[in-house]
Amino acid sequence: MGLTPSTARGRATRKRILDAAADLIQRRGVAAVTLDDVERAAGVGRSQLYHYFDDRDDLVRSVVHSTVDTVLAAQEPLLLKVDSLAGIDRWFDAIVANGTRQDAVGGCPIGSLASQLSGRDDLARQAFVDAFARWEAPLIAGLHRMQESGELRSDVDVTELADLTMAAIQGGLLLAQVRRTPDQLRLALRGARAALEDALTHGVRCPRSAPHVAHHTASGA
């Protein structure tokens, strides 16, 4: 790994390089971005870039970790409250709203990078394994709390239920991006919610329509 800056100026320079690389990769894709592109966008020289990153692969992996941090930070307030069906509904609504981009629908930044990089090498693949585990962990914890409170059946495998939910989110975001309609994401989340409802203790179900689409621009997955 490259040097971890010990000064505020160094941290600012590293962040500027990282932000420039992340922006270029998001707009062009990983394969189309060169170190020369990053240097021009960040306003740095090759020696500065190599001071903070070992090579291009190290820079790209750093972009992965930075993207994960950004996505999870945006969702953290809601992820901390996914210990009830109402809390999960609010999280789903935010995902639909954040997946909408003006006249187009954006996919998941983590999923987009994973599709380009997960088969590249074991370090990149493990970065995405860790990323999705971090994303899923609050949901698993919330489902466990629902079991402890009696809202969720005790025989439910919460890890499998969380895996199903994350698969619905990623699949829904991908279809919404490809088909340019947030309805695809809403349908996917409706399926995930149905599975969650089926896991509830008898008599606790809370009927609700599919997550709505907020008519404003938001960032994140």
Side-chain angles (χ1 to χ4, degrees):
M1 296 291 289
L3 177 69
T4 299
S6 58
T7 66
R9 181 176 180 181
R11 288 190 292 273
T13 300
R14 185 182 186 279
K15 184 177 186 303
R16 189 166 73 251
I17 296 170
L18 196 55
D19 288 348
D23 177 66
L24 288 168
I25 287 172
Q26 182 181 9
R27 290 189 288 110
R28 302 182 187 176
V30 175
V33 176
T34 68
L35 291 181
D36 287 338
D37 295 330
V38 176
E39 290 165 13
R40 283 193 294 270
V44 299
R46 185 62 54 94
S47 62
Q48 281 180 293
L49 193 150
Y50 279 137
H51 185 66
Y52 298 108
F53 303 95
D54 290 341
D55 50 28
R56 185 178 182 276
D57 286 344
D58 184 33
L59 174 59
V60 170
R61 283 192 292 269
S62 296
V63 168
V64 171
H65 291 297
S66 175
T67 300
V68 171
D69 289 343
T70 299
V71 170
L72 296 189
Q75 295 191 17
E76 185 176 17
L78 292 170
L79 281 170
L80 292 175
K81 298 178 181 179
V82 288
D83 53 3
S84 68
L85 197 58
I88 292 171
D89 284 338
R90 287 190 290 271
W91 178 44
F92 281 0
D93 284 343
I95 291 171
V96 173
N98 290 340
T100 303
R101 299 286 190 275
Q102 296 179 353
D103 295 328
V105 178
C108 171
I110 301 174
S112 177
L113 285 174
S115 67
Q116 299 177 66
L117 296 171
S118 58
R120 184 170 178 168
D121 58 59
D122 283 342
L123 284 175
R125 185 189 63 80
Q126 189 58 49
F128 291 110
V129 170
D130 295 343
F132 285 111
R134 284 176 57 194
W135 197 350
E136 202 172 89
L139 177 58
I140 293 174
L143 294 174
H144 273 303
R145 292 196 294 274
M146 289 174 70
Q147 278 186 325
E148 292 168 358
S149 70
E151 186 176 358
L152 200 68
R153 296 198 320 268
S154 60
D155 63 327
V156 171
D157 186 324
V158 297
T159 300
E160 286 188 0
L161 191 55
D163 284 344
L164 182 153
T165 302
M166 292 303 299
I169 291 170
Q170 288 301 310
L173 285 167
L174 177 59
L175 286 174
Q177 182 181 24
V178 170
R179 295 179 178 174
R180 293 300 186 198
T181 169
D183 289 343
Q184 301 299 315
L185 178 55
R186 291 191 299 172
L187 286 172
L189 293 181
R190 182 186 297 171
R193 192 180 191 277
L196 290 162
E197 285 184 342
D198 286 342
L200 294 178
T201 304
H202 180 69
V204 184
R205 295 189 180 189
C206 176
R208 180 182 183 273
S209 60
H212 69 272
V213 178
H215 299 292
H216 64 272
T217 302
S219 60

